[in-house]
Amino acid sequence: MSKLNNIKAAIIDLDGTMLDTAGDFQVAVNRMRDELGLTPLSQETIVNFVGKGTENLIRRVLAVDYAEDEAAGYFQQALDAYTEHYLAINGDYASLYPGVLEGLQAMRAKGLRLACVTNKPVSFTLPLLAKKGLSGFFEVVYGGDSFPKKKPDPMPLLQVCSDFKLEPAQVVAIGDSSNDAQAARAAGCRVLNVPYGYNHGESIHDVDSDGIVSTLVEAAQQISVD
């Protein structure tokens, strides 16, 4: 993999990239399911539903037990319950992946401007970043409800480019899933993927990117500001 040159900023995903939040998802989803009288789901099952936003997660979780029209009738109740339970435990069952803090520090030391763009709602994202000591790294934070469209749509990434007054080619997106890669490609940004995240249960090696990096430290090493 050749270095990415003339990069001035990095847009970094949250779940599956900086934080392993599978435990949070499992606890919140299964507490919601318990309220609906449904049996618990395994962490593996739930994680495969993660990545396209909370509404999609809830629909997928309900689809395990209900037909589409029936699930629609339970959607709002399930979403409200899930939101309540998630906010109550947000970050309690989540942990930083190895190399995240060191990688962010290395990117900042290179002079890169940093943004966090996630499909997680902003009301979940901001407290979680603060709880895990990540808030100070990011000039800009956008969640899945910050814009009319979320990743894999390029809208959030293009907004960061505008915020930073940079051309998309000067910005790299770093994430664990096809959502991040597709959004970056559509925006005209470069893209690096990490192999340890969720990616809807599919291999990250099948995703079109500029390279796979084992940690954010390696990502920092592959980025050149010149």
Side-chain angles (χ1 to χ4, degrees), residues 144-160:
D145 51 356
S146 295
F147 305 102
K149 296 179 180 179
K150 56 175 73 79
K151 297 181 294 184
D153 193 275
M155 183 180 286
L157 277 63
L158 289 170
Q159 184 59 52
V160 172

Side-chain angles (χ1 to χ4, degrees), residues 9-30:
I11 299 173
I12 307 177
D13 179 52
L14 182 56
D15 298 304
T17 300
M18 290 191 286
L19 288 174
D20 182 357
T21 46
D24 282 356
F25 286 117
Q26 184 181 23
V27 171
V29 164
N30 283 331

Side-chain angles (χ1 to χ4, degrees), residues 82-147:
Y82 172 78
T83 299
E84 179 183 344
H85 290 304
Y86 201 103
L87 286 170
I89 57 93
N90 190 7
D92 289 352
Y93 303 90
S95 58
L96 283 164
Y97 285 111
V100 169
L101 286 175
E102 297 88 342
L104 293 174
Q105 288 163 351
M107 291 180 205
R108 287 285 294 271
K110 284 190 168 187
L112 289 170
R113 302 178 72 177
L114 300 181
C116 176
V117 173
T118 172
N119 281 347
K120 200 182 205 74
V122 171
S123 61
F124 295 1
T125 300
L126 295 177
L128 183 57
L129 288 171
K131 189 170 192 171
K132 298 302 181 181
L134 300 176
S135 300
F137 288 103
F138 300 102
E139 288 181 58
V140 173
V141 177
Y142 291 130
D145 51 356
S146 295
F147 305 102

Side-chain angles (χ1 to χ4, degrees), residues 2-225:
S2 58
K3 276 200 172 188
L4 303 183
N5 297 319
N6 192 32
I7 300 295
K8 306 301 182 186
I11 299 173
I12 307 177
D13 179 52
L14 182 56
D15 298 304
T17 300
M18 290 191 286
L19 288 174
D20 182 357
T21 46
D24 282 356
F25 286 117
Q26 184 181 23
V27 171
V29 164
N30 283 331
R31 287 181 182 177
M32 173 270 280
R33 286 178 61 84
D34 185 60
E35 280 193 30
L36 270 61
L38 304 175
T39 56
L41 297 178
S42 71
Q43 187 173 107
E44 182 181 9
T45 297
I46 293 167
V47 161
N48 287 342
F49 298 160
V50 168
K52 294 189 184 297
T54 300
E55 296 86 353
N56 181 72
L57 170 64
I58 299 305
R59 290 190 180 95
R60 295 286 300 275
V61 165
L62 292 174
V64 172
D65 301 271
Y66 298 116
E68 189 174 347
D69 56 341
E70 195 177 9
Y74 287 104
F75 176 78
Q76 194 59 51
Q77 178 188 354
L79 179 62
D80 291 346
Y82 172 78
T83 299
E84 179 183 344
H85 290 304
Y86 201 103
L87 286 170
I89 57 93
N90 190 7
D92 289 352
Y93 303 90
S95 58
L96 283 164
Y97 285 111
V100 169
L101 286 175
E102 297 88 342
L104 293 174
Q105 288 163 351
M107 291 180 205
R108 287 285 294 271
K110 284 190 168 187
L112 289 170
R113 302 178 72 177
L114 300 181
C116 176
V117 173
T118 172
N119 281 347
K120 200 182 205 74
V122 171
S123 61
F124 295 1
T125 300
L126 295 177
L128 183 57
L129 288 171
K131 189 170 192 171
K132 298 302 181 181
L134 300 176
S135 300
F137 288 103
F138 300 102
E139 288 181 58
V140 173
V141 177
Y142 291 130
D145 51 356
S146 295
F147 305 102
K149 296 179 180 179
K150 56 175 73 79
K151 297 181 294 184
D153 193 275
M155 183 180 286
L157 277 63
L158 289 170
Q159 184 59 52
V160 172
C161 296
S162 175
D163 293 340
F164 287 170
K165 295 180 172 56
L166 294 172
E167 294 298 319
Q170 297 176 294
V171 180
V172 60
I174 304 171
D176 65 308
S177 81
S178 57
N179 282 338
D180 304 292
Q182 289 167 17
R185 286 287 188 244
C189 299
R190 313 298 291 276
V191 57
L192 295 172
N193 281 128
V194 296
Y196 49 73
Y198 308 138
N199 197 33
H200 329 296
E202 300 162 6
S203 172
I204 197 66
H205 295 275
D206 298 330
V207 173
D208 174 31
S209 76
D210 292 300
I212 296 174
V213 288
S214 59
T215 64
L216 292 193
V217 173
E218 186 180 346
Q221 292 167 349
Q222 293 298 327
I223 296 168
S224 173
V225 297

